[in-house]
Structures are given as structure tokens and as C-alpha cells.
Amino acid sequence: AALCVDARSGADLERVPAYLDELAEQGVRADVLFLEASTSALLQRYSESRRRHPLGAARNLEESIGEERRLLGPVRARADLILDTS
């Protein structure tokens, strides 16, 4: 089974580390794969696609990327493997 979360996951995003702890307590192995890219790569991707960043309603793109990194920090900290997709 796989579960995917992103910055749009809202309050549940903050609970991901606790969910992982609960799974471990139940004897369930959960591997966390975290995908990330450099800010420059993300800026290029968004400019090429002309899509707005999901958190970009009241921010510029770089601020949105920074907020996304902040929100996902606790999940990244629990990652078993981090892949840079830049």
C-alpha cells in the first residue's frame, strides 16, 4: 500500500509522524520515500507549466516553495530515502 501526502494535505500533514509511530507500535513497517527538488528546478518547472503553486494564492512562488518545505519538514525528517528529482 502507498500513501501520498503533499503541502495541500492541511492539518493531517502535521499528524504524519504520529501516524508512522502508530504503525510502528502495531508492528507495521512503513518506509518513507521523500521526493524533493532544488528551488531553481521548481521555479523552472512552474514557469514552464504556467501552473500556480498550490500554496501560491497570497505569496510569490519562492515564498510558496519555502512554505511547502516548512510544512513538509517533519515528514522529510522521517524519510528513509530522499530522492532529489532536480
Side-chain angles (χ1 to χ4, degrees):
L3 170 68
C4 178
V5 296
D6 67 18
R8 296 169 287 192
S9 297
D12 284 343
L13 187 59
E14 295 173 357
R15 299 183 67 200
V16 169
Y19 292 148
L20 293 171
D21 290 340
E22 288 176 30
L23 288 172
E25 289 171 7
Q26 295 173 18
V28 176
R29 180 178 162 199
D31 295 323
V32 178
L33 170 64
F34 191 89
L35 304 177
E36 67 180 3
S38 68
T39 300
S40 61
L42 292 172
L43 290 171
Q44 181 178 352
R45 290 175 190 170
Y46 276 102
S47 70
E48 290 173 355
S49 70
R50 300 181 189 227
R51 287 186 354 190
R52 286 185 32 202
H53 189 280
L55 302 177
R59 300 178 182 93
N60 71 37
L61 182 54
E62 285 190 65
E63 291 171 341
S64 298
I65 291 169
E67 179 64 5
E68 180 177 29
R69 289 187 197 287
R70 185 190 70 75
L71 291 170
L72 291 169
V75 178
R76 185 185 191 279
R78 295 291 297 266
D80 298 294
L81 179 63
I82 299 171
L83 294 179
D84 186 334
T85 67
S86 299

